[in-house]
Amino acid sequence: MGNALTQKILITLGFLFAYRVLAYIPTPGVDLGVIKEFFDSNTNNALGMMNMFSGNAVERLSIISLGIMPYITASIVMELLAATFPALGQMKKERDGMQKYMQIIRYFTIFITVVQAIGVSMGLQSMTGRAGQSAVMIDPVMFTVLTTFSMLTGTMLLMWIGEQITQKGIGNGISLIIFAGIVSGLPSAIGNTIRAVNAGEMNFLLVLGILAIMLITILAIIYVELGERRVPISYSRKTIMQNQSKRVMNYIPVKVNLSGVIPPIFASAVLMFPLTMLQASTNPIITAIADTLAPGGIVFNVATFFLVVFFAFFYASIAFNAKDIADNLKRQGGFIPGVRPGEHTKEFLNEVASRLTGSGAVYLGIISTVPFAVISGMGASFYFGGVSVLIIVQVALDTMRKIEAQRTMNQYDTLGNVGL
């Protein structure tokens, strides 16, 4: 059974390798030299952040330049609609309905990708290098068509890779793609920092300060992510006697951060969609608005904080279903001491989850903004900010938990086979 876990890990690594290969396939018809010049002067704005999430695919104008963000944006819209319209929410709960629901997300992803790709192609047509050469080397109409189809193909491939990792590998595929993208850019970010110190552009004490902030952030994330409230469960004597040979849970674990890594990813997707569109314009007013909303600024950090808090509450309400837990507990003959089964148990669990979600949402908002704001003020890269560190640590912890759960399940299967 150990081979099954090894196979899942190898499948995950294989798909992530394919993702990194796609990041080096450029969109046809562009002058990569002009694109590099442009990105050298736009590393600390929305394009720089989008480049980080895509694993530096944007600065190479790869076919996956739009990354997985169109899929995430489509998922956000569908989750909001499912929470608003009961019929759509019911569709999610049914097996056949869930397939239709996912199909709608895919179609909506295609629509968002096409709109963004057309916007990017039009923005590139007005871009020129220092010597006045155009970034586009072919007919503008043909370039728009090629760019749209290339980026649509890239995003669809990423969506498929993410689904394959979730189904056949270890961990959440979409989260792992973003994780791999951020991690792949860390070596160059560290190298640039070392070069800046050697050239005297950055103080060594400043680098130590950045490392200290990162270490504190990592420790805070690990401390909160491993934190949980254990709601005790008791069972009737009859239930205990009937389940002597089975492992019965004696508590319900309710995590402090019920929504995981989703809120900062959702918040980034929501902010980057309009910012990317604004960056493509050359209008002075629109450029001024884009500069105001630039990552690292007060407006961007305030918007990030409130969006992260909103999505933390929103996603926790979906992820934690107190009614299902209460009904299952009642069926199994279990109860929370001092709380009546059924509706009272549901209300008690909702109250516990709400209190924890309040603390977890504020924690996510602070982690996503404060380290990023401080580090941006020091002149460091996005890669050392709160959102990137949060995603790296959370995805790593989640993947480790799933590997450990798979190992435990394999051990039980092995013991069962020995017993036979």
Side-chain angles (χ1 to χ4, degrees), residues 43-44 189 192-194 196-197 200-217 295-297 301 369-386:
T43 54
N44 292 318
N192 290 336
T193 303
I194 293 170
V197 172
E201 297 170 6
M202 187 178 286
N203 194 313
F204 182 69
L205 291 176
L206 201 64
V207 176
L208 290 179
I210 292 168
L211 290 174
I213 292 168
M214 286 179 66
L215 182 62
I216 292 168
T217 303
N301 283 320
T369 53
V370 174
F372 180 43
V374 174
I375 285 175
S376 294
M378 292 178 173
S381 172
F382 292 117
Y383 295 92
F384 305 124

Side-chain angles (χ1 to χ4, degrees), residues 326 329-330 334-348:
L329 203 59
K330 189 176 181 179
F335 61 92
I336 299 169
V339 182
R340 292 176 64 185
E343 192 65 26
H344 288 82
T345 298
K346 186 192 88 170
E347 290 173 1
F348 176 80

Side-chain angles (χ1 to χ4, degrees), residues 307-336:
L307 279 172
V308 167
V309 170
F310 168 75
F311 282 122
F313 275 101
F314 174 73
Y315 200 78
S317 67
I318 297 171
F320 187 81
N321 193 324
K323 187 178 185 305
D324 286 352
I325 295 172
D327 290 345
N328 289 334
L329 203 59
K330 189 176 181 179
R331 266 197 305 272
Q332 293 167 5
F335 61 92
I336 299 169

Side-chain angles (χ1 to χ4, degrees), residues 119-362:
V120 169
S121 66
M122 292 177 71
L124 287 168
Q125 289 171 30
S126 62
M127 188 187 299
T128 55
R130 293 192 185 97
Q133 72 273 32
S134 175
V136 177
M137 299 186 294
I138 59 175
D139 177 70
V141 176
M142 180 59 69
F143 176 72
T144 301
V145 173
L146 282 173
T147 301
T148 302
F149 276 100
S150 297
M151 291 188 174
L152 179 60
T153 302
T155 299
M156 291 298 102
L157 281 170
L158 279 190
M159 187 173 68
W160 179 77
I161 286 171
E163 290 176 354
Q164 293 303 306
I165 290 173
T166 302
Q167 293 170 11
K168 300 176 182 177
I170 287 283
N172 182 289
I174 304 301
S175 297
L176 280 169
I177 285 173
I178 297 174
F179 169 87
I182 296 172
V183 170
S184 68
L186 277 174
S188 62
I190 293 169
N192 290 336
T193 303
I194 293 170
R195 278 193 292 274
V197 172
N198 292 336
E201 297 170 6
M202 187 178 286
N203 194 313
F204 182 69
L205 291 176
L206 201 64
V207 176
L208 290 179
I210 292 168
L211 290 174
I213 292 168
M214 286 179 66
L215 182 62
I216 292 168
T217 303
I218 290 169
L219 291 174
I221 292 168
I222 293 172
Y223 178 77
V224 176
E225 289 303 315
L226 296 179
E228 62 183 22
R229 164 83 184 274
R230 294 184 174 183
V231 179
I233 305 172
S234 294
Y235 293 91
S236 63
R237 184 176 180 82
K238 181 182 177 182
T239 304
I240 294 171
M241 295 299 291
Q242 287 175 344
N243 294 277
Q244 282 183 341
S245 61
K246 296 180 182 177
R247 185 167 176 257
V248 181
M249 287 287 290
N250 58 4
Y251 64 86
I252 300 171
V254 185
K255 291 181 63 181
V256 175
N257 178 24
L258 283 166
S259 50
V261 75
I262 299 298
I265 293 175
F266 275 17
S268 299
V270 168
L271 284 170
M272 279 196 289
F273 181 76
L275 284 174
T276 306
M277 295 294 101
L278 291 172
Q279 286 288 338
S281 175
T282 55
N283 186 293
I285 297 173
I286 295 177
T287 304
I289 295 171
D291 291 339
T292 304
L293 295 172
I298 295 172
V299 176
F300 180 87
N301 283 320
V302 170
T304 299
F305 181 87
F306 283 109
L307 279 172
V308 167
V309 170
F310 168 75
F311 282 122
F313 275 101
F314 174 73
Y315 200 78
S317 67
I318 297 171
F320 187 81
N321 193 324
K323 187 178 185 305
D324 286 352
I325 295 172
D327 290 345
N328 289 334
L329 203 59
K330 189 176 181 179
R331 266 197 305 272
Q332 293 167 5
F335 61 92
I336 299 169
V339 182
R340 292 176 64 185
E343 192 65 26
H344 288 82
T345 298
K346 186 192 88 170
E347 290 173 1
F348 176 80
L349 289 173
N350 273 329
E351 187 181 341
V352 170
S354 296
R355 285 202 300 266
L356 290 174
T357 302
S359 304
V362 172

